[in-house]
Amino acid sequence: MTLHIAIIGAGHSGREFALACASAGHKVVLEDVMPARLRQAGEIFASLGREVGLVLSVEDAVRDADVAIDFVPDELESKLEIFSLLDRMAPPRTILCTPSETLSITDLASCTYRADRCVMVRGLAGDGAVRLLRAGDTSAEACAVVEGMLGSLGRRVVIEADPDLPMLMKNMGLATGSSFLG
């Protein structure tokens, strides 16, 4: 199945992922706020004969996206900001996906109006199996779409529930002195 994939961030990882997705036959739009990064990406894609759309705004990137995946720094504030933007600008059907080795998808999904369409990927940079983490509300359909996308890139996917205690919940418990978290 050919997907429309919006990739936010044209740094090294974003460019590599865009190239892999385009090579797998998906329609790819790559966004970055820095024109120099997009120019560099465009030169790389042209030299390899891959067609990737290049845009300067998140809104333009996600307009037709089935899946939107970000490559912003793996920090809670950065991820919350990009998930908020994606949630506001992408069509309701768009699945929000983020690579992170440290954060909780439950946290990020809880800050959107589409918690059922949010997933996290771990191990994307490696060669082994990719862990696809879902929040409690994530739909089986969203997991299947992202599993298929990653499978089309030659990756074996293991779907798991979010193993991390959400940071927002941790902070809430610490701030109030609550012991409900055990």
Side-chain angles (χ1 to χ4, degrees):
M1 171 170 72
T2 299
L3 296 171
H4 287 102
I5 302 171
I7 299 170
I8 310 303
H12 179 75
S13 297
R15 288 191 311 263
E16 278 190 359
F17 194 77
L19 181 59
C21 290
S23 296
H26 298 293
K27 183 176 178 181
V28 178
V29 177
L30 180 63
E31 182 275 343
D32 202 291
V33 295
M34 300 190 59
R37 282 191 180 173
L38 288 176
R39 272 194 304 278
Q40 183 181 24
E43 292 168 4
I44 293 168
F45 300 143
S47 72
L48 297 172
R50 296 291 181 243
E51 188 174 322
V52 174
L54 305 173
V55 298
L56 287 167
S57 76
V58 170
E59 186 174 15
D60 288 339
V62 300
R63 182 171 286 125
D64 297 316
D66 297 308
V67 177
I69 183 167
D70 74 88
F71 285 90
V72 302
D74 196 12
E75 304 162 343
L76 184 59
E77 294 81 12
S78 297
K79 295 291 187 177
L80 286 172
E81 182 178 344
I82 197 66
F83 257 53
S84 177
L85 277 171
L86 294 172
D87 191 38
R88 283 194 320 264
M89 296 180 179
R93 75 173 192 289
T94 303
I95 298 164
L96 307 185
C97 179
T98 190
S100 176
E101 298 301 321
T102 60
L103 300 176
S104 164
I105 189 58
T106 302
D107 269 343
L108 297 175
S110 72
C111 296
T112 72
Y113 290 104
R114 62 179 87 207
D116 63 323
R117 304 193 67 73
C118 296
V119 296
M120 181 174 285
V121 180
R122 290 201 173 148
L124 194 56
D127 293 331
V130 175
R131 295 171 61 204
L132 181 62
L133 305 181
R134 58 178 171 70
D137 294 336
T138 304
S139 71
E141 177 205 0
C143 289
V145 168
V146 176
E147 179 182 24
M149 175 189 72
L150 294 169
S152 75
L153 306 180
R155 301 302 295 268
R156 188 172 67 81
V157 179
V158 177
I159 300 174
E160 302 174 8
D162 187 357
D164 300 315
L165 181 62
M167 185 61 74
L168 295 176
M169 294 296 272
K170 284 182 193 174
N171 288 343
M172 197 169 83
L174 291 174
T176 62
S178 172
S179 62
F180 72 93
L181 297 175

